[in-house]
Amino acid sequence: MAARLLLGTVIRDQIYAELQEEIAALGAAGIQPCLAAVLVGDNPASKLYVNSKIAACARLGLRSELHTPPASVSTEELLDLVTELNRRDEVDGILVQLPLPPQVEAKRILDAVDPAKDVDGFHPINVGRLVAGRPHLVACTPAGIMELLRRYEIPLAGTQAVVLGRSDIVGKPMALLLLHAHATVTICHSRTRQLPEVTRRADLVVAAMGRAALVTPDYIRPGATVIDVGQNVVTDAAEAERIFARVPDRLNAFREKGQVLVGDVHPDVAEVAGAITPVPGGVGPLTIALLMSNTVRAARLRRGATTAASARR
Ligand code: NAP
């Protein structure tokens, strides 16, 4: 039987509807949250991501501003920009789009962001708060996945969860959030042995490795929930044909465009899993939704505002 689809697009729309109420309430109190995005250089993927974030602000009625230092920017110059954004009281959220050019010391830049404005949740203080079980601003992708699991009523307490990937922005915070939701969590990475044996014990598998279609049906216990974070662009025809042999629509899309977006989970897993997120339309839309949510939250907390919507959370 085909797995139930967990649609990030549906959850994103719910989150936006709730945020709109909260933004209206803040507006009535004279507060318009503002997100400042820093886009260094002209990496096309980064431009696309930042533009989507700015467009989401416009859709919700949040203020946004875009800062575009050149690719040649130095660490010191970027630190000056972040310091200025920290200082300006009307800026509630600061987002520094990654990756940064090689001459920039990325850690110093991220550590310089005021933790109260750190809407990506990357600052060590916010990571520490998450570890301590007192989350403040949490990394957007894992926080979005928790919203998806909660709203689709996927049980977590007492279950076995396996997170594939241990990055600071997805794998580690994901594992901590699942742990705090009382799952028994295993974190896997590139050195993990016998991966399919580990994942087959799981009620929930979160795949965040950046390896196209690596998770095949033999990795998954029948009925398990599978969350596919991977966003891999496949341009090789043989690979696309191997992955989408039984999905003619996607194969046709590849033939038209010469590339196709593939998750870390093979499409055949949908025949074994109980519930699964599609790619695209699964985790992707939630990342931006949670960035918007973090920006509103940062504004509310920084300015000491309480709204009816926030009181319900
Ligand atoms: P990352 O920093 O490259 O981390 C990848 C992790 O996967 C590492 O911990 C690595 O292990 C592990 N890994 C790699 N190959 C593996 C293998 N064969 N078996 C087991 N583990 C393996 O990547 P990331 O930033 O976390 O992103 C992961 C994926 O999610 C990417 O496809 C990215 O595009 C996608 N993503 C999507 C969204 C979204 O909004 N949908 C947001 C963020 C990221 P080691 O630590 O041992 O190297």
Side-chain angles (χ1 to χ4, degrees):
M1 210 179 78
R4 176 160 73 125
L5 281 182
L6 306 175
L7 298 173
T9 43
V10 169
I11 305 304
R12 172 200 57 200
D13 292 346
Q14 288 177 11
I15 293 172
Y16 280 175
E18 292 165 14
L19 278 179
Q20 259 156 351
E21 262 184 57
E22 194 167 351
I23 291 163
L26 285 171
I31 299 168
Q32 189 184 18
C34 172
L35 175 68
V38 179
L39 171 64
V40 178
D42 36 32
N43 175 327
S46 294
K47 263 190 186 167
L48 203 69
Y49 289 139
V50 170
N51 286 341
S52 313
K53 292 166 186 178
I54 300 280
C57 286
R59 171 175 170 181
L60 289 173
L62 301 180
R63 263 186 350 105
S64 65
E65 49 183 56
L66 178 58
H67 299 265
T68 56
S72 59
V73 72
S74 69
T75 301
E76 300 308 323
E77 286 165 334
L78 215 44
L79 282 174
D80 286 348
L81 173 58
V82 170
T83 306
E84 175 61 12
L85 295 173
N86 284 342
R87 191 194 57 74
R88 286 176 45 211
D89 193 43
E90 73 279 16
V91 171
D92 295 292
I94 301 172
L95 150 86
V96 182
Q97 186 64 43
L98 300 177
L100 292 170
Q103 79 278 6
V104 173
E105 294 168 73
K107 274 220 156 66
R108 276 182 72 199
I109 304 300
L110 297 182
D111 287 2
V113 173
D114 178 349
K117 300 187 180 189
D118 170 38
V119 283
D120 267 334
F122 294 163
H123 193 285
I125 288 195
N126 284 322
V127 175
R129 284 175 175 151
L130 174 61
V131 173
R134 288 181 282 140
H136 180 67
L137 294 167
V138 177
C140 300
T141 302
I145 292 169
M146 292 306 284
E147 279 296 313
L148 178 98
L149 293 169
R150 185 173 71 79
R151 291 171 192 248
Y152 274 106
E153 299 182 347
I154 306 289
L156 295 175
T159 64
Q160 297 278 347
V162 170
V163 179
L164 300 175
R166 57 175 166 181
S167 72
D168 291 339
I169 60 175
V170 187
K172 278 186 213 160
M174 184 76 251
L176 284 163
L177 288 167
L178 291 170
L179 181 66
H180 293 321
H182 310 298
T184 300
V185 184
T186 305
I187 307 174
C188 300
H189 45 78
S190 64
R191 314 281 181 95
T192 303
R193 296 197 188 120
Q194 273 120 19
L195 206 52
E197 271 177 37
V198 179
T199 53
R200 266 200 307 272
R201 290 200 295 266
D203 303 294
L204 169 70
V205 174
V206 180
M209 297 171 289
R211 297 280 179 264
L214 184 141
V215 177
T216 43
D218 56 313
Y219 279 61
I220 301 300
R221 193 175 57 69
T225 298
V226 179
I227 305 295
D228 190 355
V229 186
Q231 297 207 310
N232 311 289
V233 178
V234 168
T235 52
D236 179 71
E239 193 181 2
E241 278 175 33
R242 204 169 46 244
I243 295 171
F244 292 116
R246 297 164 57 192
V247 195
D249 288 0
R250 301 298 303 282
L251 209 47
N252 288 336
F254 172 82
R255 287 178 184 139
E256 269 171 33
K257 293 186 186 159
Q259 62 174 50
V260 64
L261 188 68
V262 181
D264 285 357
V265 177
H266 193 284
D268 289 354
V269 169
E271 286 159 34
V272 181
I276 192 165
T277 57
V279 173
V283 173
L286 294 170
T287 299
I288 295 185
L290 266 288
L291 177 71
M292 298 299 108
S293 171
N294 274 352
T295 302
V296 172
R297 183 176 165 79
R300 182 162 43 75
L301 295 175
R302 287 183 63 247
R303 297 162 191 249
T306 313
T307 61
S310 72
R312 284 200 299 272
R313 292 200 193 165

